[in-house]
Amino acid sequence: MTVPSTTPFIAISKLFATPRAAGHPACVSREGTIGWAKLSSQVGAICTALSARLESRWLIAADDVLEFCASLLGALHAGKRAVIAPNLGEGTLRDLRSAYDASIGTAIPADIDPLTLAPIPWSARQLDPDAAALDLYTSGSSGVPKRVTKRLRQLEAEVQALETCWGAMLADATVISTVPHHHIYGLLFRLLWPLSAGRPFDPALYAEPSGLLHATATYGRIALISSPAHLSRLPELLALDALLPGVRCIFSSGAPLPAACAQQFRLAAGHAPVEVYGSTETGGIGWRQRSDDPHDDLWTPFPQIEFPGSGSEEPRLRSPYLEPGAEVRLDDEITLLADGRFRLGARLDRIAKVEGKRVSLPEMEDQLRRHPWVQDAAATVLSRSRDEVGAAVVLRPRGIDEAKRDRRVVIGALRDFLRAWQDPVAVPKRWRFVAALPLDTRGKLSAAAVRALFEAATAAALPPIRSQRPGPQRIEFELYLPGDLPCFDGHFPGLPVLPGVIQVDWAIRLARRHLGCSGRFRGIDNLRFQSVVVPERALNLLLETSADATRLSFRYTLGERKCSSGTILFRP
């Protein structure tokens, strides 16, 4: 595969009116190369088919990037509005059903299957970049996806800026990606930019390290479009030295890349990934490429980006990627420095980023309330080793009955229910079932109190006590072990078990609270661990103390099975 070194840059609106050479590679893969003439004929076939239809708004329902590319451009050339859903889950498509008139693609049962259309030669006219438009959808605070309309002129301006900034660095590299194409970042970086610049793109989603190594060996020079969620795991899975010699540039977007990860790539390749900051509403805002200074966290704005109100509670943005004269309010604090760079502060609303994915907490809460077992819900983002979502849920009577029988069934049902709308990394990993949500004196939900439902649970936190049976110098508990107890984190990955030290700690704390064992810890006799204890079980604990409360015997059992036992000694 050879790409001419002087490939002209062509705006998307002019791509097929001033076509490239017939054999110029548009798309490459293990199956072969798709030349420009073949892509053009596929776009022409779709344009012809859609031009014969009366529907004006077309959902592009394609998981394959090449199919998506031809369908999108065919729809625009047919004078149709292209609708791009954030995902093709059943719940999302239900919510968007009024936003499109018909669909094209093979990812769902659609009105037109583009694979059944015979490619035809056609004479394309230049698109009007102000008339051609597409609707993207992102999380809205009202509980339904929020539409963001992008005119082709706005997208062309952004693609031109990307080529101005990094075109010389990428040169003839093949573009490969670990991110999907139906969000603004993937749409621009892995599809529209390569098309305009004449760089071939690979339609595969390179989630596995072995695939990245194969792509580097196959293409020689690549540009990698990725995300923090993928890049932060990559150094653990392969030697970066084996990957990076053929990588012209790595791009990352969706969330800030951890400084330590950026440093790993910088040491292996001589330069860190280029991080891009922006959103569906705003387009690209700025970028940074970390140096060896760990405090170098500043961003450089793209050309013609302005921040009226920076440093205030209502930072705003002016951008060539918005409608002329428009301003948008930013979700993040912005501190503009004298040299024109800026520093990002905290997010200003409840739109969060988890593993690089945009998550609307109000939207998730609304989705949970749709479940017949749920009366009310509150979601929050928890800062652990990796950010994750926690959900506090008030159950209806039927949900309460199900939870009493098996809490795991309720959690599994709610997680499955949310997957119709949410990306897997956004589905809550931590769950709390409460009698009522924590409201403040004004009757408003207290975000801090919701977080406290989760953050109060330290690694040694006591589990829920289902029942207790006290007696003279003894007490017996039935404990329940939810899978999201922090003590299960990392012990062990893929096979969580209850640590022995936690079992001893629980016995001591419950004995101090219920049996008056107030002396200082002196030691343990006859300590035995006989069976592992896994999550989502009812665990029995028997505590018996001596008359002077200096000796405490404990025994954990699961039904008739002995788990652990011992005698804890206290100083008088």
Side-chain angles (χ1 to χ4, degrees), residues 90-256:
E90 181 181 336
T92 299
L93 295 183
R94 272 201 310 270
D95 288 343
L96 294 183
R97 191 60 194 89
S98 63
Y100 60 92
D101 307 310
S103 58
I104 179 171
T106 59
I108 62 171
D111 296 284
I112 290 181
D113 179 348
L115 300 184
T116 64
L117 303 176
I120 59 173
W122 66 311
S123 298
R125 291 183 297 176
Q126 179 177 324
L127 290 169
D128 181 347
D130 289 312
L134 52 146
D135 291 336
L136 294 159
Y137 284 83
T138 186
S139 300
S141 59
S142 63
V144 296
K146 176 184 176 182
R147 183 179 70 184
V148 179
T149 297
K150 292 286 184 178
R151 300 192 182 279
L152 190 55
R153 184 178 298 282
Q154 296 168 254
L155 299 175
E156 287 181 334
E158 190 157 3
V159 167
Q160 179 64 69
L162 300 180
E163 181 68 10
T164 299
C165 289
W166 298 292
M169 180 189 299
L170 268 60
D172 59 352
T174 298
V175 177
I176 69 172
S177 179
T178 70
V179 300
H181 53 274
H182 50 265
H183 295 291
I184 188 70
Y185 172 51
L187 176 66
L188 287 168
F189 277 72
R190 73 174 296 196
L191 184 58
L192 299 185
W193 182 16
L195 285 172
S196 281
R199 294 185 191 94
F201 62 87
D202 187 324
L205 204 62
Y206 281 90
E208 298 297 327
S210 58
L212 291 175
L213 292 172
H214 177 82
T216 305
T218 301
Y219 303 131
R221 294 173 295 276
I222 65 170
L224 176 59
I225 313 303
S226 194
S227 66
H230 188 271
L231 295 177
S232 61
R233 293 181 174 91
L234 206 55
E236 304 171 6
L237 302 175
L238 56 72
L240 294 181
D241 293 344
L243 170 67
L244 295 177
V247 178
R248 288 287 180 85
C249 190
I250 298 175
F251 293 94
S252 177
S253 190

Side-chain angles (χ1 to χ4, degrees), residues 517-557:
C517 294
S518 58
R520 294 176 58 192
F521 175 82
R522 184 162 61 90
I524 302 179
D525 285 342
N526 303 317
L527 181 62
R528 299 180 65 190
F529 294 101
Q530 296 152 290
S531 300
V532 298
V533 180
V534 297
E536 307 297 346
R537 297 291 188 273
L539 180 66
N540 295 311
L541 169 61
L542 174 63
L543 299 177
E544 297 179 291
T545 186
S546 61
D548 61 356
T550 60
R551 295 175 64 86
L552 171 70
S553 297
F554 72 92
R555 183 173 73 245
Y556 287 94
T557 56

Side-chain angles (χ1 to χ4, degrees), residues 371-373 395-405 410:
H371 194 283
W373 294 353
L395 293 172
R396 297 185 185 276
R398 183 183 169 191
I400 294 173
D401 291 340
E402 293 289 342
K404 286 179 179 178
R405 282 191 287 269
V410 177

